[in-house]
Amino acid sequence: MRLVSWIWFWYVLVGFIMGGGAVLIWNVLKKASLMPNWYEWILLVLSFITFMFMGQTFIASFQEVEPRAAWLSLFFMGVPILLMAVGLFRSLNKRYIGN
Amino acid sequence: MTKSKKEYHSTTSRRDFMKMLGVGAGAVGLGAAGVSAGGFKDLDEMMASPLAERHLPFWVKEVDEPTVKIDWDNFEMFPGPEGTLFNPASWENPKDYFDIYNRNIASTKKNVQDNVPGLSLKDRALADANCWGWGGRSGADLSAPWAGADVKANPQWEHPTMYYTPEDYGVPKHEGTPEENSRMLRTAGRIMGAADMGFVKLDEKTKKLLWGKITFENVEKGYAEPEKNKFVLPDKDLWAVCSVIPQSLWMQQYTERMSWASSNTMSYSRANIYANRLSVFLRGLGYQAYGGNTESIGRLVGFGVMSGMGEYGRAGILVSPQYGTNIRTVLVTITDMPMAVTKPIDAGIAKFCQACKKCGEMCPSGAISMEEKPFWGGDAAWQAKGIKGWYMDSKKCYDFMLGGEPDCSRCQTVCPFTKYDEAVLHDLIRISIAKAPALDSAIRKMDDVFGYGKEPDTKKTPWEIDPMDIPLYGLDNSRS
Ligand code: SF4
Ligand code: SF4
């Protein structure tokens, strides 16, 4: 119960970390003059949404006393996120080397 | 029902809104603080808020006919609760009933003597405590009398406005449009303990959902002569106020031992208290209220289906899109207050049952039909013909759960619709079930893979955990 009533704190913390991370990545890309093109934007947004969705399912499943569902959601959503992240990285990297 | 479908479906509850933002349950406290800070000045203001509207998620649609096929021409009225298996006389061989009953007593005693976790003396004492007020076999009967709660003033100590009627105040009875009345009742019902409400007009069809022994007479007020098994309703426009009484999902994790103790029976007990409150409320507005206890009206699942609070599922119980099968009862009170009816719904549930069969697979007694398609049945004396659904073999269930095994409600616990409401994922699944039935089999498989609706851990009991970690009344607080 205590976990439930304090959970909002973690969401706020996650929000700060995500916001900070986004600013950081933006600055790095800007410095490297690497503005994402259209499909990189799609990958970025999709992986971000899936990541948020995975986080919500993971935490909520523990609240629901369903640990198996929590860990499996990490797997089922984590793998596509990983694939998208790798694709994104490779695409950006290719352009960076090409620069 | 003057609200258009569009308006209903665009209504987003505070909780849904928070969930949509991804803020989750924790932040609901903040949301609640915001709502209460604004506050409602009176019942009128509360009724006018979207909170009092019927909330159907956008993927649940209202339909003219329920998803279970009903043959109203050949629909049999069931005589009364005394025709069910709870009455020894309705068994072909009443000795079977007493065998089961005696097995139950013997196994209960043995489990208490052996101090079996979940079935020990303290567990049974808790079960009896939470059962109190249910009535019938519990011995302590709080159920509402046929013609409404007993509201005789107590001259010893009485609140000055307790149990007054409009005549007592010298004012006419409450007058509102059917829509206003429905809203008012929905608001009052939530406050008094109903999770959801629906309203059915009694007509030539829906009257068949009443017990066959209930008759209509040309009288101003209905009456009962219980000694003659006679229950009479006035022959005028009447509506069934249907309320869903939620049971503790939290306690269901202890199925099938502790669920009996604090989930099932306490819901019956709360249902009876709720029914009394509802009848006092209606009476206080100047209207009549009949029945309302868990056995006095008739086919409760049928009223649940016709009022659109759920669909008829494989296990022969109501499956609500919001609460799944974790509903202990649909409580029905008949009133002469005009109500705006709520229509049956289609959330893809009955269709999903064809692919799912989970309750049937997990039923330890084999009572639940494994036929893929629903069928016209009802041949046994304790069943009634007229619907195309999955008829269950209640005798097997009865024999198992009352005949020595700890009480069971596994069919409710394992149903994929019976879930806490924290993860957004569940909404996506429900949308898919409603909109893309081709995925039903895959969803059922994933439900198993994710570990939902598993076998209960019979060694687990709540006695060891921090009492402050127990939700109040054991009720699921993922739904506000
Ligand atoms: S209560 Fe138990 S035995 Fe009875 S139908 Fe449900 S799962 Fe089967
Ligand atoms: S467990 Fe499956 S088949 Fe049984 S009522 Fe629930 S959805 Fe229908």
Side-chain angles (χ1 to χ4, degrees), chain B residues 313-315 319 325 349 352-353 356-360 411 414-417:
Chain B
R314 178 178 290 274
V319 188
T325 51
I349 295 170
F352 183 77
C353 283
C356 173
K357 302 184 182 159
K358 193 164 186 170
C359 50
C411 43
V414 303
C415 178
F417 289 97

Short mmCIF file of all heavy atoms in Angstrom, two decimals, chain B residues 313-315 319 325 349 352-353 356-360 411 414-417, ligand 2:
data_model
loop_
_atom_site.label_atom_id
_atom_site.label_comp_id
_atom_site.label_asym_id
_atom_site.label_seq_id
_atom_site.Cartn_x
_atom_site.Cartn_y
_atom_site.Cartn_z
N GLY B 313 -21.56 -14.86 -19.93
CA GLY B 313 -20.31 -15.57 -20.22
C GLY B 313 -20.45 -17.07 -20.10
O GLY B 313 -21.49 -17.60 -19.68
N ARG B 314 -19.39 -17.73 -20.47
CA ARG B 314 -19.36 -19.20 -20.50
C ARG B 314 -19.74 -19.83 -19.16
O ARG B 314 -20.42 -20.84 -19.10
CB ARG B 314 -17.97 -19.67 -20.93
CG ARG B 314 -17.78 -21.17 -20.96
CD ARG B 314 -16.41 -21.53 -21.45
NE ARG B 314 -16.25 -21.24 -22.86
CZ ARG B 314 -16.59 -22.08 -23.84
NH1 ARG B 314 -17.11 -23.25 -23.55
NH2 ARG B 314 -16.41 -21.74 -25.10
N ALA B 315 -19.26 -19.24 -18.07
CA ALA B 315 -19.51 -19.84 -16.76
C ALA B 315 -20.91 -19.54 -16.24
O ALA B 315 -21.21 -19.77 -15.07
CB ALA B 315 -18.45 -19.37 -15.76
N VAL B 319 -20.35 -11.16 -17.14
CA VAL B 319 -18.97 -10.69 -17.32
C VAL B 319 -19.04 -9.21 -17.67
O VAL B 319 -19.57 -8.83 -18.71
CB VAL B 319 -18.24 -11.46 -18.43
CG1 VAL B 319 -16.76 -11.07 -18.45
CG2 VAL B 319 -18.38 -12.97 -18.24
N THR B 325 -15.53 -10.93 -14.04
CA THR B 325 -16.53 -11.75 -13.33
C THR B 325 -16.41 -11.55 -11.82
O THR B 325 -17.02 -12.28 -11.05
CB THR B 325 -16.32 -13.24 -13.64
OG1 THR B 325 -14.96 -13.55 -13.41
CG2 THR B 325 -16.66 -13.56 -15.07
N ILE B 349 -17.43 -9.73 -25.49
CA ILE B 349 -17.14 -10.70 -24.42
C ILE B 349 -17.67 -12.10 -24.78
O ILE B 349 -16.95 -13.10 -24.70
CB ILE B 349 -17.72 -10.21 -23.08
CG1 ILE B 349 -17.00 -8.93 -22.65
CG2 ILE B 349 -17.58 -11.29 -22.00
CD1 ILE B 349 -17.61 -8.21 -21.47
N PHE B 352 -15.62 -13.64 -27.28
CA PHE B 352 -14.32 -14.03 -26.72
C PHE B 352 -14.43 -15.37 -25.96
O PHE B 352 -13.53 -16.20 -26.01
CB PHE B 352 -13.80 -12.92 -25.79
CG PHE B 352 -12.44 -13.20 -25.22
CD1 PHE B 352 -11.29 -13.04 -25.98
CD2 PHE B 352 -12.29 -13.65 -23.91
CE1 PHE B 352 -10.03 -13.30 -25.47
CE2 PHE B 352 -11.03 -13.92 -23.38
CZ PHE B 352 -9.90 -13.74 -24.16
N CYS B 353 -15.56 -15.56 -25.28
CA CYS B 353 -15.77 -16.80 -24.52
C CYS B 353 -15.66 -18.03 -25.42
O CYS B 353 -15.24 -19.09 -24.96
CB CYS B 353 -17.14 -16.80 -23.84
SG CYS B 353 -17.22 -15.79 -22.37
N CYS B 356 -11.98 -18.59 -25.59
CA CYS B 356 -11.24 -18.59 -24.33
C CYS B 356 -11.31 -19.93 -23.57
O CYS B 356 -10.33 -20.64 -23.46
CB CYS B 356 -11.74 -17.44 -23.47
SG CYS B 356 -11.07 -17.42 -21.80
N LYS B 357 -12.46 -20.27 -23.04
CA LYS B 357 -12.70 -21.52 -22.31
C LYS B 357 -11.85 -21.66 -21.03
O LYS B 357 -11.74 -22.75 -20.48
CB LYS B 357 -12.43 -22.75 -23.19
CG LYS B 357 -13.25 -22.81 -24.45
CD LYS B 357 -12.98 -24.09 -25.19
CE LYS B 357 -13.74 -24.17 -26.48
NZ LYS B 357 -13.23 -25.08 -27.44
N LYS B 358 -11.22 -20.59 -20.61
CA LYS B 358 -10.30 -20.72 -19.47
C LYS B 358 -11.02 -21.18 -18.19
O LYS B 358 -10.53 -22.03 -17.47
CB LYS B 358 -9.60 -19.38 -19.21
CG LYS B 358 -8.41 -19.48 -18.28
CD LYS B 358 -7.53 -18.25 -18.38
CE LYS B 358 -6.27 -18.41 -17.56
NZ LYS B 358 -5.30 -17.35 -17.83
N CYS B 359 -12.22 -20.61 -17.95
CA CYS B 359 -12.95 -21.00 -16.74
C CYS B 359 -13.27 -22.49 -16.79
O CYS B 359 -13.18 -23.20 -15.78
CB CYS B 359 -14.22 -20.18 -16.58
SG CYS B 359 -15.25 -20.10 -18.04
N GLY B 360 -13.60 -22.99 -18.00
CA GLY B 360 -13.92 -24.40 -18.15
C GLY B 360 -12.71 -25.28 -17.90
O GLY B 360 -12.79 -26.31 -17.23
N CYS B 411 -13.64 -20.02 -11.27
CA CYS B 411 -14.09 -19.55 -12.57
C CYS B 411 -14.09 -18.02 -12.63
O CYS B 411 -13.90 -17.43 -13.70
CB CYS B 411 -15.48 -20.10 -12.90
SG CYS B 411 -16.63 -20.06 -11.54
N VAL B 414 -10.04 -16.73 -12.54
CA VAL B 414 -9.15 -16.95 -13.68
C VAL B 414 -9.61 -16.23 -14.95
O VAL B 414 -8.86 -16.18 -15.92
CB VAL B 414 -9.00 -18.46 -14.00
CG1 VAL B 414 -8.49 -19.21 -12.79
CG2 VAL B 414 -10.30 -19.06 -14.52
N CYS B 415 -10.80 -15.71 -14.96
CA CYS B 415 -11.33 -15.09 -16.18
C CYS B 415 -10.43 -13.93 -16.63
O CYS B 415 -10.08 -13.07 -15.84
CB CYS B 415 -12.75 -14.58 -15.93
SG CYS B 415 -13.46 -13.74 -17.35
N PRO B 416 -10.04 -13.90 -17.89
CA PRO B 416 -9.16 -12.83 -18.37
C PRO B 416 -9.73 -11.42 -18.18
O PRO B 416 -9.00 -10.45 -18.22
CB PRO B 416 -8.99 -13.14 -19.86
CG PRO B 416 -9.19 -14.61 -19.96
CD PRO B 416 -10.23 -14.94 -18.94
N PHE B 417 -11.04 -11.33 -17.98
CA PHE B 417 -11.61 -9.99 -17.74
C PHE B 417 -11.50 -9.58 -16.28
O PHE B 417 -11.76 -8.44 -15.93
CB PHE B 417 -13.09 -9.95 -18.17
CG PHE B 417 -13.26 -10.00 -19.66
CD1 PHE B 417 -13.53 -11.19 -20.31
CD2 PHE B 417 -13.11 -8.85 -20.42
CE1 PHE B 417 -13.67 -11.23 -21.68
CE2 PHE B 417 -13.26 -8.87 -21.79
CZ PHE B 417 -13.54 -10.08 -22.43
S1 SF4 C 2 -12.84 -17.35 -18.40
FE1 SF4 C 2 -12.97 -17.02 -20.62
S2 SF4 C 2 -14.63 -18.37 -21.27
FE2 SF4 C 2 -14.83 -18.15 -19.06
S3 SF4 C 2 -16.24 -16.41 -18.74
FE3 SF4 C 2 -14.17 -15.56 -18.71
S4 SF4 C 2 -13.79 -14.93 -20.85
FE4 SF4 C 2 -15.54 -16.34 -20.89
#
